[in-house]
Amino acid sequence: MSYQIAIDGPAGAGKSTIARRVAREKGFIYVDTGAMYRAMAYYLLQEKADPSDEEEISEKCTGAHITIEYQDGEQVVLLNGENVNPVLRTEEVGNMASVTSKNKKVRERLTLLQKELAEKNSVVMDGRDIGTCVLPNADVKVYLTASAAVRAKRRFDELTAKGEPCDIKKIEEDIVKRDEQDMTREIAPLKQAEDATLVDSSDMSIDEVVEKILSLTEV
Ligand code: DC
């Protein structure tokens, strides 16, 4: 039987850093579902799909065959056989993903793939709807959040460290806008599952959050 740890939460809460660490500690695979939505968005951008045309998105998304592989413990997303990891983190792809992830067909296709992965492997899976829709029977469910101001500050520090000029006010505004989009969409909105443990990382270090989640697991 596979063991399933679901971590949901808003953008910038530190889900991927934490999920990757927990997966390493447990020897499970880490499944970054956001990267799958980004790969789909990248495909739709290449196909020049109009993000506001639901019908076109539903039709065109069937041409994207997304699979994942693991190389040195890292998830590699293959789009129609091609490794698209290097192109997934751009603003353009993120913005497209935020719109196209609302589409029913897109969600059906990716949810199916995510369920299959978690049936065959013990996983730490992070996203927005993992505890509520993808793995409703997960062994451990965590809702990881932090205040918008703290999330904005973390992103600001990250960009500044890379030498990228940015405005913390604008970052916070974008975060609040994305939260609103993810929480109010019709299908699979971001929300805390009833049986999820709330972890607010605003005043916690990465180590403390990892320890907290490990303490919830029983393997
Ligand atoms: O976590 P991220 O920024 O890589 O996610 C990219 C987009 O995909 C984001 O706008 C929300 C969406 N997403 C989703 O709808 N459901 C998931 N399980 C994961 C991500």
Side-chain angles (χ1 to χ4, degrees):
M1 267 292 274
S2 65
Y3 195 89
Q4 302 172 344
I5 301 175
I7 304 181
D8 289 301
K15 296 187 299 293
S16 55
T17 306
I18 302 292
R20 188 178 279 112
R21 281 269 304 268
V22 172
R24 203 184 311 135
E25 290 284 336
K26 303 299 281 181
F28 295 173
I29 63 170
Y30 164 47
V31 184
D32 172 358
T33 64
M36 296 180 187
Y37 283 95
R38 284 170 183 265
M40 178 61 87
Y42 175 71
Y43 174 80
L44 293 167
L45 278 171
Q46 282 194 317
E47 290 297 303
K48 308 215 174 337
D50 174 356
S52 63
D53 187 338
E54 283 290 318
E55 229 169 273
E56 189 183 357
I57 300 289
S58 302
E59 236 169 69
K60 290 200 164 153
C61 79
T62 58
H65 293 281
I66 294 170
T67 49
I68 68 171
E69 277 181 2
Y70 287 85
Q71 289 174 11
D72 300 326
E74 276 301 306
Q75 172 177 300
V76 175
V77 183
L78 301 176
L79 169 64
N80 296 332
E82 185 199 344
N83 175 358
V84 286
N85 268 24
V87 295
L88 297 183
R89 307 305 310 175
T90 66
E91 280 301 293
E92 190 192 16
V93 170
N95 289 336
M96 183 72 166
S98 152
V99 182
T100 54
S101 62
K102 290 183 200 151
N103 183 278
K104 188 165 178 254
K105 255 261 157 48
V106 166
R107 298 207 76 82
E108 273 172 12
R109 286 174 72 80
L110 296 181
T111 301
L112 190 68
L113 174 62
Q114 291 154 14
K115 282 179 190 277
E116 280 173 8
L117 275 165
E119 257 169 42
K120 294 189 194 132
N121 309 275
S122 288
V123 293
V124 181
M125 191 176 281
D126 77 354
R128 307 291 191 288
D129 60 338
I130 311 306
T132 50
C133 297
V134 181
L135 306 176
N137 299 317
D139 300 275
V140 173
K141 294 184 189 178
V142 173
Y143 189 83
L144 181 64
T145 189
S147 70
V150 166
R151 287 184 280 140
K153 173 77 168 65
R154 287 177 187 162
R155 181 81 186 129
F156 174 81
D157 289 346
E158 217 176 86
L159 291 171
T160 311
K162 280 195 223 157
E164 289 181 33
C166 53
D167 172 7
I168 194 160
K169 266 246 141 30
K170 168 86 175 62
I171 295 176
E172 188 170 338
E173 277 166 23
D174 284 352
I175 281 181
V176 170
K177 190 171 151 213
R178 249 175 106 177
D179 285 357
E180 166 81 14
Q181 266 179 8
D182 288 346
M183 287 172 178
T184 57
R185 71 175 172 223
E186 223 170 281
I187 313 167
L190 168 65
K191 65 170 184 224
Q192 184 180 341
E194 271 175 26
D195 50 352
T197 301
L198 175 69
V199 179
D200 184 334
S201 72
S202 302
D203 297 312
M204 292 169 85
S205 67
I206 291 173
D207 283 347
E208 284 171 333
V209 178
V210 170
E211 278 310 312
K212 170 74 193 166
I213 296 176
L214 289 175
S215 76
L216 300 171
T217 67
E218 296 158 349
V219 216

